[in-house]
Each structure stands twice: as C-alpha cells, then as structure tokens.
Amino acid sequence: MKPIKTKTSRRLAALFFAWTVTAAAPAATAAEIELRLGTAAAPAWSLGKLISEVFAPRLAEYSDGRIELKVHDRGSLCSEHACVEQLDLGQIDIATVSSGNVGAFGTTFDIVNLPYLFQGQAEASQILNDWLAEELSERAADEMGMHVIALVPVGGFRNVVNTEREVREPADLRGLKIRVTKSPTEFNLVKAWGAAPVPYDWSSLYEGLQSGVVQGMYLQDTFTAAGKFYEVVNHVTVIEAAFSAHPIMMSKDRYDALPDWARAAIDQVGEDLQREGFAYDTAWQEEAVKAMEGRVESYTPNDEERTRWQAGARDAWLAVKGAYDPALARRVLEEQGQTVLIEELESAGAL
C-alpha cells in the first residue's frame, strides 16, 4: 500500500527541501569594513546622487566587495557641524560639510568662499581639478588632521535672495537681515554690502523667512529650489559671487589605520568623485533654474552695478585677511587673467 500524503507531511517535505537548498547555497559574503557616512545632502542633490551613484557602488567595486558604505543622508545622523565633530570622536567614518561651515574647524577651505575668486563654473572646474583640490587636501591634513577624499562642487555660485524687494545693488540691501553660514568670509561680505548678516541654522531657515527673523539669504539657486524657499521669498539677484564646494573627508587617524588595499580603494573612488562632481552639479543647477521659473523675480545686475557688488568683495577679502594664503589666492586669480581684481585687492591691502 502506498503511504498517504497528508497536508502535514507535504508541508514538512517542502520545509525540508527549502532547508536543504538554503544550506547548499553559498552564504553572502559580508564586507570586511563598514564605513559610516554622515551628510546633510538629500538624495536629489548633486552631492546625494554622487554619493549613491558613484561613491557607494564604486567603493564596493574597487574593494572587491570588502568595503561597504553605509550612508546616513538628510542630516539623519548629524548636522554638518556635528558630523565633523563625530569624525574626531570616531563615531562616524566619513562626513561631508560645506566650505562655509567647515570654517569653524580651520581656515584651509576659507579661500574657496572668497567672492569672485572664480569667474565662472568652467574656471572653478579647471583649477580645482587641476591642482587646487589636491593642495587644499594636503593643508587640511596638516591643519585639521583630516584626510580629504574629494572636494566637490555643490550648488554653484551664491546669489542674494530676499523676501522684501528687488535688489539691484548693495545699497538696496540696507536694513535687511540676511542669513549666512558660519563662514567669516560670508559674514563680512554681507556686512560690507550694508545688510545685517545673521548666522542661522539651515533646518530652521524656512520658518525664519516666514516669520521675518531673517529676510533673505546668501544662497545658491539650487538650495533655494531644493528647500522650496521660492514659496516664501520673492526676489533673486544674480550676483554669482562665491563658489560653493564640499570636502568629503575622514579623520586622518582613521584613514591611516586602514589596510593598504582599503586606502587604495578610497583614493581611487576619490579621483572619480573629483572628476565627475562638476557634471552632476551642473545638471542640478539647470534643474533649479527651471524649478524657480515664474515663482520668483530674478534680476541680473548690469556692469556698473556689478562693479559695486565687487567693491564689497574687496572689503570681505580684507576683513578675513590671514584666513587665506594670499599667494595661493593670487595664483588662482592670475590663472584666470583677473588682473583688475588683483590690482584692486592689492590697493586695499588684501593681497
């Protein structure tokens, strides 16, 4: 007589088959090293896409799966300032921070914030990727004890945005409270333009603009669009003063403690980030301009008005003299043929 197959016996047979298949299959290989990255970047930012599409997958590729990058974005793990502090404490492995906010930890990157240092995106890309990023990385290791994986653009150039009125020249800013980062360069630049600079936390900025605690920002179009600030601001003045870049870095002690193969993989992906960052950022800038069309009034100063904006830049350079290497700044300006600005800075005592 053939044995009767009950529902219970069939279920047990199925479970046994599943167990034997699972046992026979090779176990997934766990990464040998897990690196935790803290960033304020959202997935839609150029930096967010660069991390998810370049950094994480290529680090796994270059390490043959031996390194896994755990990304904590949108400030979910720490604010920019706190992320840098946590690098020193060994609580996270990698952090991204704006060149403005990193100024609280050292002066290495203050040169990037200098207004009108770069004539445009193309010039910034050429100089940073040719030699300046490497030079600043070496200085960050000495001054800050940080290993810079890459220095990438995030958002393009800063413009003046406000809730109150059209601003054509610096005199139109008088009396307005303008939000700035912790960068002393930004603070003194906005002050030189006649406005009241207010260091203000990014996470509270939308509400601050709504309530009138601040009445404007010195900010890139990309972040104006990303934060939907176009819902509470009315005017953008396209001055394209200072370029914005973010170092992606880790504690030098943590980097040096890694095995040779891990450092090699990090260095290789760092070259990719440095090389490809500008394409990601340019695309994001174009998206931001489209997103704000019809939502805010945009004004581009004429040549005479632009000269007045640049006059404030001289004051800002002078106010932070000592926070940047004048020889390094001169080299950047000379490579772009900015002889007029060099002469003005020299006469002001800023170079």
Side-chain angles (χ1 to χ4, degrees):
M1 179 183 293
K2 293 182 179 180
I4 297 173
K5 291 185 176 181
T6 65
K7 289 183 179 180
T8 301
S9 64
R10 286 196 297 269
R11 187 178 298 113
L12 289 171
L15 289 171
F16 177 77
F17 176 77
W19 177 84
T20 55
V21 170
T22 302
T29 304
E32 295 179 32
I33 297 174
E34 179 181 293
L35 298 178
R36 300 175 72 205
L37 184 152
T39 180
W45 295 9
S46 62
L47 180 56
K49 291 181 178 180
L50 196 63
I51 290 170
S52 64
E53 297 177 14
V54 179
F55 199 171
R58 293 191 197 169
L59 187 57
E61 175 189 346
Y62 296 153
S63 67
D64 294 325
R66 300 166 76 183
I67 301 178
E68 181 180 6
L69 186 68
K70 292 284 188 179
V71 179
H72 301 268
D73 57 17
R74 299 178 183 270
S76 59
L77 191 63
C78 47
S79 66
E80 284 194 335
H81 188 92
C83 281
V84 178
E85 291 179 329
Q86 289 182 24
L87 288 181
D88 270 336
L89 296 173
Q91 295 172 343
I92 62 173
D93 303 290
I94 303 172
T96 75
V97 59
S98 70
S99 54
N101 285 329
V102 77
F105 300 93
T107 63
T108 293
F109 297 101
D110 281 353
I111 188 173
V112 179
N113 304 318
L114 291 171
Y116 302 106
L117 177 74
F118 298 113
Q119 289 182 316
Q121 185 92 345
E123 290 82 1
S125 173
Q126 174 63 37
I127 293 172
L128 274 171
N129 288 348
D130 185 30
W131 62 270
L132 184 56
E134 183 176 355
E135 174 67 29
L136 295 179
S137 296
E138 293 175 0
R139 296 185 182 212
D142 292 336
E143 181 195 11
M144 303 167 62
M146 293 292 170
H147 174 79
V148 178
I149 298 171
L151 179 61
V152 299
V154 182
F157 287 84
R158 292 180 181 272
N159 293 320
V160 170
V161 188
N162 84 93
T163 61
E164 305 301 306
R165 55 183 178 262
E166 182 179 69
V167 170
R168 297 189 171 208
E169 57 184 64
D172 299 329
L173 280 177
R174 192 166 301 280
L176 294 184
K177 293 173 288 187
I178 301 298
R179 182 264 181 182
V180 295
T181 69
K182 294 180 174 66
S183 164
T185 307
E186 286 184 29
F187 186 94
N188 285 286
L189 176 63
V190 170
K191 183 178 179 181
W193 284 335
V198 180
Y200 202 77
D201 187 68
W202 171 260
S203 62
S204 305
L205 185 52
Y206 190 100
E207 291 77 10
L209 290 164
Q210 277 185 314
S211 65
V213 174
V214 290
Q215 297 162 304
M217 312 171 288
Y218 176 54
L219 194 66
Q220 305 95 309
D221 289 346
T222 46
F223 290 110
T224 301
K228 294 187 177 181
F229 293 117
Y230 50 69
E231 297 174 347
V232 291
V233 300
N234 309 105
H235 303 281
V236 175
T237 307
V238 185
I239 57 171
E240 296 186 329
F243 187 71
S244 179
H246 286 219
I248 303 173
M249 57 190 187
M250 60 194 307
S251 161
K252 192 173 182 301
D253 288 342
R254 175 68 171 120
Y255 173 81
D256 290 342
L258 292 170
D260 291 345
W261 61 266
R263 293 199 303 271
I266 290 171
D267 292 345
Q268 189 173 0
V269 79
E271 292 176 4
D272 291 354
L273 294 169
Q274 191 68 50
R275 183 179 61 254
E276 299 177 34
F278 276 88
Y280 274 84
D281 203 53
T282 298
W284 189 34
Q285 291 174 46
E286 293 171 352
E287 291 172 7
V289 171
K290 290 181 181 179
M292 292 197 297
E293 285 180 356
R295 297 176 181 269
V296 297
E297 295 293 328
S298 180
Y299 179 75
T300 301
N302 58 37
D303 291 343
E304 183 178 346
E305 291 163 343
R306 187 174 176 82
T307 299
R308 296 191 183 103
W309 288 106
Q310 290 180 327
R314 292 195 300 270
D315 293 339
W317 281 61
L318 188 59
V320 295
K321 185 177 180 180
Y324 61 91
D325 182 346
L328 197 63
R330 181 185 293 273
R331 179 181 173 185
V332 173
L333 296 173
E334 286 177 344
E335 288 194 6
Q336 299 170 85
Q338 296 205 64
T339 55
V340 174
L341 182 56
I342 290 173
E343 291 173 359
E344 291 176 346
L345 293 170
E346 285 177 339
S347 63
L351 276 184

